[in-house]
Amino acid sequence: MLDYFWLIPLVPLVGVVINGLFASRYIRSQLFTGALASGCMLVAFIIGFGSFMQLASMPVEDRHVEIELYDWISGSLVHMHDNDAHVESATLDIPFGLQFDPLSALMVLVVTGVGFLIHVYAIGYMKHDPPDKGFYRFFTYLNLFASFMLILVLGNSYAMMFIGWEGVGLCSFLLIGYYYKKKSAGDAAKKAFVVNRIGDAAFIIGMFTLFFTFGTLDYDGIFAGAAANSEVGSGLITFATMMLFIGATGKSAQIPLFVWLPDAMEGPTPVSALIHAATMVTAGVYMVVRSNVLFTLSPMTMTVVAVVGALTALMAASIAMVQNDIKRVLAYSTVSQLGYMFLACGVGAYAVGVFHLMTHAFFKALLFMAAGSVMHALHGELDMWKMGNLRKYMPRTHMTFLIGTLAIAGVPGLAGFFSKDEILWYAFTGPNGSPWLWAIGTLVAGMTAFYMMRMLIMVFYGDSRMDEHTESHVHENPPVMTIPLIVLAILSIVGGYVGIPANLRIGPLESLHETVDIVRWLEPVTGGHGAGDDNGEAEAHAMIPDSPAIVAPAIGGEAAQVLARPIAQEPAFVLTAEGEEHNTALEWTLMLISTGVALAGIGLAYQIYGRGKPTDEPAKRFGGLYAALWNKYWVDELYEAAFVQRAKDLGKGLWVFDDAVLDGTVEGVAAATKQSGTASSEFDNRVVDGAVNAAANSVWSGSWIFRALQTGMVQNYALVIAIGAFVLVSAYLFL
C-alpha cells in the first residue's frame, strides 16, 4: 500500500471533479453526490490505513517513505559580491513531493476517518438544503477541503505544506460563506479570510528565512542543517520559528488571531465539525510538531508557544462559560482545546500535543455533529434557552452528546482524560514546564467541565423551553446522521488508550501499552518518550532519512555543505531510578487534582443549572466579570476600533488625499492646460493668423493695379507698349 500512498490526497479530487463539473448539470442526484463524496473519503481512508499498517510493520528507523511525483519549481540562485569578484550559486529545486512517516500517517487517519464520518452525516443534514445547486457545491467544497488538508500533512517540504495551508484557507472561506446570500455568512467568510492572511504573511516570511538560511525548503535539509550548524537560541532560528508560529496562530485560532473561528459558525454544521475536528485548525499544531527540531532550538519561541497556548485556553474557556449559542460554546471550546495542544508543544511534549489533537478530533466532531442533530430537529434553533428535555425525544443524540461531554471534560476512562492529563503532567514536570502553566491548565480543565455540563443540562435535561409547535415536531434524526455519532462516541471512549500514562500501566493496561503507544509511535519524528518512559529514560532521536548533500548559502554569502543525518535532541525528561517512585507519586497527585477540579466543574454546573429551572442569574451577580465574559472581553470591539475603523479612516484619508491632492493636481493641470490652450488659440487666431491674413490682404489690396493691367486683351497690351515707347522716346529727346 505504501507504493500508492500518493493517491490519498488525489482520491478526494475525483469527487471534486465529478461533483463540481457534472453532478448538478447531468447527474442531478443528491444520493449519488453524497455517496461519491463519502466514498472518496472512505477509499482515501482505506489506502491510508493500509499504508499505516505496512509502515508499522517496518523497523523504526525505516518508517519514512518519500516520493517525488514531478519537478515543480527548478532554477538557480546567483549571488554576486562587490565588483563581481566572487559569485555564489545555489540550486532552487522544489519537487512536488510527498512523505509518509508516523506523524503524517496518524494525521491521514484522523483527516480521512473523521472526515468520512462527517461526509456521511452531511448527506442527511444537507438533504433539505434549498435546491439551488448548493448541495452539489457543498460536497465539492468538502472533498476539496479534505484534499488540501491531506496535501498539507503529506508534503515533504514547507513549499508543499504551503499549498495545503493556502488551500484549506480557501476552502474555509468558501464553506463559511456557503450561504452567500446571508450577510452574516459573507461577513464571517471575509473575516476568516482577512485574519488568516495576516498569519499567512508571517508564515511566508518564516519560509523565506529558512530558505535563505539553509538553501532549501525540504524538511530533511532544513532540519539537518539546523542540527549541524545552528546553536540553541540562534537569532535566525528564533525569528523563523516566531514567524511560523504567528502563521499557526492564524490557522489554529490562537491569541491574537482567534477572532475568526467563533464567527465561522455561520457555515453549515458539518463544516464546523470538519474545520474544528479534522482539518484547518489542526494545521498550526501539525506545523509546530513537524518543525519540532527548529522550535526546540529556540527556547524563546517555545516559551511564547506555551504561554500563548495557556492564555488562549484560559480566555476561550472563560468566554464559553456564559455563551447561549450552542455552536459558539463549542467554537470557543475548540479555541481553548487548541491552546492545550500548543501548551503541550511549548513545553516540549510534541507527541502529547498530537495525542490530544487526535482525541479532540473524536469528541469535538461528535459534539458538533450532535449539536447539528439538535439544530436539525429544532429547525435551525441555536439558543440553548429555547431547548430543554431533548433526551426524551432524541435518545441516541443525547447519549452520544453525553459521552462527548464527559470525554472533553476529562472524566477518567474516556479519551480526553488521558491526553489532557498527559499535557498537565508535562506542563508541571517538563524541562520547559512551570507550576503556573500547570495551574492555568488545571483551571481550564475545571472551566471546560463546567461549560460542557451547563450545555448538556440546558439542551437535554430539565423542563422543555421549546414552543409548542417546535416541540410537537421534534424527533430523532435518521441513521445516516446518528450512526456517525455512535462511531465517534465509541472512539471518544477508547481513543485515549493509545497513550496510557505511566502510573496507570498496570495489569491489562500494561500489556495494551506494550502493543499500542502513540508517544513511542511518534518518536521517530518528535523525539523521545518523555516523562513516564518505561525504562526511566527518555531517548530523543528525531530520525531524518539520508538525503543528498545540500548547498546551503547562509546569510552573509558563506556557503556550507550540509549532509542530512539523524538528529540527537536533548531528552524531554529523564527519570532516575532514585526519583522514579517520587515522580510516580507526583503524577498520581497531579492526576487526582485535575480530576477533582473537573468533577468540581461538573458539580458546580449541576448545582446552578440542574436544579429547578436553569438560570444565569448566579453568574450575573459577578457584574463586571460576567459582562466581560458575555462581551468576549470586547476583543472584537477593540479590533474594530483599533484596526478596522482605523483602516477605514486610512482609506478615507487616502481618498481625501486622492481627491484633493492627486485629483486636484490632475484637474488643476487639466484646467491650466485648457487655459493655456485657449490663450494659445487666441494668439494663433489674432497674432499668427492675423499677421498672415494682414500680409495676404496687403498683397490683395496692392495688386488691384496689376489686376487692372492684366486684362488678357492683346490690343490693350499693344496700346500700353506704344504709350511706353512714346514716353521713353519723349524723355530721351527732351531730357
Side-chain angles (χ1 to χ4, degrees), residues 61-77:
E61 62 273 11
D62 294 333
R63 291 176 182 173
H64 184 108
V65 180
E66 276 193 66
I67 184 173
E68 295 182 2
L69 299 178
Y70 59 87
D71 289 335
W72 179 26
I73 301 175
S74 297
S76 61
L77 301 177

Side-chain angles (χ1 to χ4, degrees), residues 322-323 619-634:
V322 301
Q323 297 300 306
K620 293 180 179 179
R621 295 173 187 170
F622 289 92
L625 177 59
Y626 178 85
L629 299 181
W630 175 253
N631 291 285
K632 297 161 285 187
Y633 296 106
W634 297 280

Side-chain angles (χ1 to χ4, degrees), residues 550-595:
I550 302 163
V551 178
I555 300 299
E558 296 294 329
Q561 284 279 30
V562 179
L563 196 61
R565 63 178 67 87
I567 296 174
Q569 296 177 257
E570 290 296 324
F573 188 72
V574 178
L575 288 175
T576 62
E578 293 79 12
E580 187 169 358
E581 182 177 353
H582 168 76
N583 284 314
T584 300
L586 176 62
E587 187 168 7
W588 272 110
T589 301
L590 297 178
M591 182 180 292
L592 291 174
I593 291 174
S594 63
T595 302

Side-chain angles (χ1 to χ4, degrees), residues 280-614:
M280 183 169 172
V281 297
T282 61
V285 179
Y286 168 81
M287 184 273 295
V288 172
V289 175
R290 175 62 71 185
S291 308
N292 69 88
V293 174
L294 300 176
F295 280 83
T296 302
L297 287 170
S298 177
M300 179 184 295
T301 304
M302 292 281 283
T303 300
V304 170
V305 172
V307 171
V308 168
L311 293 180
T312 303
L314 178 63
M315 179 207 64
S318 63
I319 294 174
M321 293 172 67
V322 301
Q323 297 300 306
N324 296 327
D325 185 313
I326 188 172
K327 288 178 67 176
R328 283 188 180 270
V329 174
L330 294 175
Y332 281 106
S333 173
T334 298
V335 176
S336 180
Q337 296 303 305
L338 289 166
Y340 258 115
M341 299 173 205
F342 281 110
L343 171 60
C345 293
V347 299
Y350 300 103
V352 177
V354 178
F355 181 24
H356 194 58
L357 184 155
M358 182 193 74
T359 60
H360 177 263
F362 299 152
F363 53 70
K364 187 51 62 72
L366 168 61
L367 290 169
F368 263 111
M369 291 159 66
S373 181
V374 170
M375 293 167 53
H376 195 262
L378 271 61
H379 310 293
E381 183 59 64
L382 290 167
D383 189 349
M384 294 188 295
W385 291 112
K386 297 180 181 179
M387 301 178 188
N389 198 31
L390 284 176
R391 64 173 178 168
K392 173 182 176 181
Y393 305 100
M394 308 178 70
R396 293 192 296 274
T397 299
H398 160 252
M399 185 54 61
T400 54
F401 198 97
L402 173 63
I403 293 172
T405 297
L406 297 178
I408 193 175
V411 172
L414 302 183
F417 163 76
F418 293 102
S419 57
K420 191 176 296 184
D421 178 74
E422 284 292 271
I423 292 174
L424 295 176
W425 165 244
Y426 274 88
F428 190 90
T429 61
N432 299 322
S434 163
W436 289 104
L437 294 175
W438 171 83
I440 293 175
T442 303
L443 177 61
V444 171
M447 297 165 72
T448 303
F450 174 85
Y451 67 69
M452 288 305 306
M453 183 55 60
R454 170 181 179 265
M455 175 190 292
L456 179 72
I457 293 172
M458 291 177 65
V459 174
F460 291 99
Y461 295 92
D463 297 332
S464 172
R465 298 178 299 279
M466 298 176 283
D467 60 71
E468 293 183 3
H469 175 75
T470 301
E471 188 168 6
S472 64
H473 290 82
V474 175
H475 59 279
E476 185 60 273
N477 287 297
V480 72
M481 294 177 64
T482 56
I483 290 177
L485 298 181
I486 295 171
V487 174
L488 287 169
I490 295 172
L491 291 173
S492 297
I493 295 172
V494 304
Y497 289 91
V498 300
I500 303 170
N503 60 324
L504 294 181
R505 296 171 194 166
I506 52 179
L509 295 183
E510 175 67 25
S511 301
L512 179 62
H513 168 72
E514 290 297 327
T515 305
V516 181
D517 181 14
I518 189 172
V519 176
R520 187 166 58 240
W521 168 257
L522 293 172
E523 182 181 352
V525 179
T526 62
H529 293 229
D533 192 14
D534 295 329
N535 57 8
E537 296 180 356
E539 299 178 356
H541 297 290
M543 303 302 294
I544 296 180
D546 292 338
S547 62
I550 302 163
V551 178
I555 300 299
E558 296 294 329
Q561 284 279 30
V562 179
L563 196 61
R565 63 178 67 87
I567 296 174
Q569 296 177 257
E570 290 296 324
F573 188 72
V574 178
L575 288 175
T576 62
E578 293 79 12
E580 187 169 358
E581 182 177 353
H582 168 76
N583 284 314
T584 300
L586 176 62
E587 187 168 7
W588 272 110
T589 301
L590 297 178
M591 182 180 292
L592 291 174
I593 291 174
S594 63
T595 302
V597 170
L599 294 177
I602 292 174
L604 180 61
Y606 176 78
Q607 185 69 24
I608 297 175
Y609 297 97
R611 295 187 175 186
K613 295 183 178 180

